[in-house]
Every structure is written in structure tokens, then in C-alpha cells.
Amino acid sequence: MARSRGLRRLLVMLLALALVACGVYAAVFFVQRSETLVSERCIAVVGGGTAELAPDQAVYASLISAVAVQRGLPPRAASIALATAMQESKLRNIAHGDQAGPDSRGLFQQRPSQGWGTEAQVMDPYYAANAFYDALVQIPDYESMEITEAAQTVQRSAFPTAYAQHEQMGRSFASGLSGQTPEAVECTLRSAVAAGDPVAVSAELVQAYGPLDTAVEGQTLVVEASGNQAWSVAQWAVANAKGYEVTQVQVAGRSWDRGQRNGWQESTAADGQVRITVSPAIA
């Protein structure tokens, strides 16, 4: 009889453990499934209009805009460059051309045979963006031109009117990424999958913007910046969050939190600096 009761207790205990294990598995599966259902995207909301890019496109949009900021160019220059790159390459650094230019390469589909540089140079996004701006600033009154006219003057495309379809995207992302419109750019992303490196973030920021006053505090990069520059750097960090495993960006009383997926929210962030926090090591 005692043996029978002991066996029943053992069976009950094993059943309980099995139920716990199933519950844990179901919880993990649910979390993993929920993550896969997240539709990753970046948007720019300016003046009531919304433009959308995939996260990898947003990275190049932030690079092109940062180069304009570094050069002291107006947001209009970035608008023209973004619309051009979207038409030419879908804002991706592609290593092939098309029938109109079989040797075209890179973000702006610049042709080595037309004097844009070597193939390796035009495949360097920073070189390509600077080469585009070098040509753009030679155009008198380019800021007052229609985007399609300015872009065509630089590119000499076989489809000169095609740039116009990307005007809203160019304006919206340029306005946010240049810092002209605070908290315009936000990204919806899945959770970080690896540890981030604040030193790597700092190195990329310096390449994009030129010299910056930065310091590393644990997993957080602190950038001394204010005004438009602060918001440009902050929204650059959001646009690059996927690749650099950024989990939080704080600036001027606002915060973007990757895990919350609710855009920019009020925070205690102080003026005069941008705090970019990356993921710690994932267990």
C-alpha cells in the first residue's frame, strides 16, 4: 500500500514537471513567434506625411544625410540626394549596373567611364555621397530647383522625370535625419540578437559627421551635441539601430526604446548630449 502511494506521488511529481516544462517551452515559443511577426521598418513623419524605408535603406539614408550635415549643406541637398539614390539603386549599395549604364555602381549608380571615380571608389558609400554633393553644389541655385531638375542635372539620366516620385520620401527623411524635424524618424525592429559595441558606433558616427566629442559609459555612447546636430545624431542612431544592436536613444527630454516599439516618448534625457545604448551580451 505504501509503495503504491509512493508511486502515485512520483507520477504526480513527474506530471507536474512535464507541465512546467511544456509551459516554459510554450512561453519561449510564443516570444520567438512574436518576434518573427514584427514587421521591421523605419518611418519619417513630417508635416502630416509619412514616408517608409526598410531598415537597410534607412542606414544609407542616414549616411547620405550625415554627409550633408558634415559638409554644412542644407537639408534640401540631402532631399535631392535621397530621391536620386532611391531612383538609381533603391537606396542600396548595388554592385551592378543596367542597360543605360552597364558599368554603373553603388548608391547613385555612378559610372567610372564617365569620370565618377574607380569602381572601388563609387562602391564606397561615403565617397559616392561626397561625389554627388561635389557635383550638386556646382549647380547655381540648386536649392530653388525642383528635385527632379536638380537630380537630372547631376545624373543625366535616361529617365529624367523619375526622380519626382521619391520627392516626399527624400524631403521627410532628410528633414528628420538632418535634425531639422525632431523625433521624425523612428524604427520598429525585432529585439537585439547580439551584443553591441559602443566604440564601433562612435567610429561610424565620426566617419559620418566628422569629429565629435564622445565618451563611453559601459554600454552607452555619450555624444556631446545640441540643437539640430543632437537630433541628427539621435535619429542617425535610430536608423542604424538594427546593425549596431542599439536598444535606446535619449536626447533632449525624449527617448526611443527598441523594445517598446512605441516611437519617441518623454524621458529625463538632458539637453546637450545624445545617449546611445547598445545591447549587452546575449545569454
mmCIF file of all heavy atoms in Angstrom, residues 93 107 124 155 214:
data_model
loop_
_atom_site.group_PDB
_atom_site.id
_atom_site.type_symbol
_atom_site.label_atom_id
_atom_site.label_comp_id
_atom_site.label_asym_id
_atom_site.label_seq_id
_atom_site.Cartn_x
_atom_site.Cartn_y
_atom_site.Cartn_z
ATOM 1 N N ASN A 93 23.483 49.692 -51.879
ATOM 2 C CA ASN A 93 24.808 49.828 -52.487
ATOM 3 C C ASN A 93 25.064 48.654 -53.428
ATOM 4 O O ASN A 93 25.778 47.708 -53.102
ATOM 5 C CB ASN A 93 25.871 49.888 -51.386
ATOM 6 C CG ASN A 93 27.194 50.416 -51.894
ATOM 7 O OD1 ASN A 93 27.233 51.248 -52.804
ATOM 8 N ND2 ASN A 93 28.285 49.944 -51.315
ATOM 9 N N LEU A 107 25.367 53.445 -54.710
ATOM 10 C CA LEU A 107 24.126 54.107 -54.311
ATOM 11 C C LEU A 107 23.556 54.995 -55.403
ATOM 12 O O LEU A 107 22.337 55.086 -55.585
ATOM 13 C CB LEU A 107 24.368 54.957 -53.058
ATOM 14 C CG LEU A 107 24.508 54.225 -51.727
ATOM 15 C CD1 LEU A 107 24.978 55.191 -50.649
ATOM 16 C CD2 LEU A 107 23.182 53.584 -51.327
ATOM 17 N N ASP A 124 32.128 52.791 -52.495
ATOM 18 C CA ASP A 124 32.263 53.294 -51.125
ATOM 19 C C ASP A 124 31.154 54.323 -50.909
ATOM 20 O O ASP A 124 31.171 55.386 -51.530
ATOM 21 C CB ASP A 124 33.630 53.941 -50.941
ATOM 22 C CG ASP A 124 33.805 54.584 -49.563
ATOM 23 O OD1 ASP A 124 32.818 54.695 -48.800
ATOM 24 O OD2 ASP A 124 34.936 55.012 -49.268
ATOM 25 N N GLN A 155 22.849 63.808 -62.659
ATOM 26 C CA GLN A 155 22.908 62.417 -63.104
ATOM 27 C C GLN A 155 22.863 62.224 -64.614
ATOM 28 O O GLN A 155 23.354 61.244 -65.134
ATOM 29 C CB GLN A 155 21.755 61.630 -62.477
ATOM 30 C CG GLN A 155 21.785 61.544 -60.957
ATOM 31 C CD GLN A 155 22.933 60.710 -60.446
ATOM 32 O OE1 GLN A 155 23.883 61.246 -59.903
ATOM 33 N NE2 GLN A 155 22.852 59.397 -60.628
ATOM 34 N N THR A 214 32.879 62.490 -27.821
ATOM 35 C CA THR A 214 32.167 61.293 -27.361
ATOM 36 C C THR A 214 32.872 60.660 -26.165
ATOM 37 O O THR A 214 34.072 60.853 -25.947
ATOM 38 C CB THR A 214 32.060 60.241 -28.486
ATOM 39 O OG1 THR A 214 33.379 59.785 -28.823
ATOM 40 C CG2 THR A 214 31.395 60.820 -29.720
#
